[in-house]
Amino acid sequence: MTMDFLPDKPIYQQLIDRIIGDIIRGSLMPGEKLPSVRDYAVQAGVNANTMQRVYKELEQMEITETKRGQGSFVTEDIRKISRLRDEMKEQLIASFIQNSNALGFTTAEMVDYLTKRGAKND
């Protein structure tokens, strides 16, 4: 099953975002083993070198850790995952506010709308 990628963002970054999303959603749990580079590359339909870069970047971000001879694992540090969630929320909100303001909506207007819409979904 190959993945669909956006043309305006590097594939390796999209893969990083997907893995981070899986961690934030809880699809990948702390301490869980990731597929091998080769297996994930085949699943995603990308070159193994691209997947190797993804794993390297995730490790540099301290989101994953590699255990020699065992593979790559999601960090077990809950604080790091919590910080990652907070950073993602901040990025989403900043982008939302920037886009809303660019269209002429005030923050108060958007908060009011989100509050009303959230009440409908509860």
Side-chain angles (χ1 to χ4, degrees):
M1 163 189 97
T2 60
M3 298 177 183
D4 293 326
F5 297 102
L6 302 171
D8 59 338
K9 189 174 187 181
I11 289 173
Y12 83 93
Q13 187 61 56
Q14 292 178 61
L15 289 164
I16 289 170
D17 292 347
R18 284 188 189 183
I19 293 171
I20 288 172
D22 287 344
I23 293 168
I24 288 172
R25 272 189 306 282
S27 300
L28 282 173
M29 301 302 291
E32 186 171 340
K33 187 177 192 291
L34 297 175
S36 72
V37 168
R38 284 186 210 275
D39 288 346
Y40 208 134
V42 169
Q43 284 178 358
V46 299
N47 186 292
N49 292 331
T50 300
M51 209 62 233
Q52 184 63 47
R53 180 174 183 183
V54 169
Y55 277 31
K56 181 180 176 185
E57 296 269 341
L58 289 168
E59 188 162 5
Q60 288 175 343
M61 296 166 70
E62 298 182 342
I63 294 169
T64 63
E65 47 195 54
T66 300
K67 297 178 184 176
R68 190 176 184 112
Q70 295 179 36
S72 293
F73 297 81
V74 175
T75 184
E76 292 184 28
D77 188 338
I78 304 302
R79 292 180 313 234
K80 286 181 184 173
I81 294 172
S82 180
R83 278 194 302 269
L84 181 62
R85 285 181 58 84
D86 289 345
E87 288 169 11
M88 292 302 293
K89 281 188 271 189
E90 177 59 36
Q91 288 175 14
L92 286 169
I93 294 299
S95 176
F96 175 76
I97 291 170
Q98 181 181 5
N99 290 332
S100 298
N101 289 343
L103 292 170
F105 296 112
T106 66
T107 301
E109 213 177 346
M110 296 308 292
V111 167
D112 183 53
Y113 181 77
L114 288 169
T115 302
K116 288 176 185 172
R117 179 153 184 200
K120 287 180 186 177
N121 293 333
D122 287 343

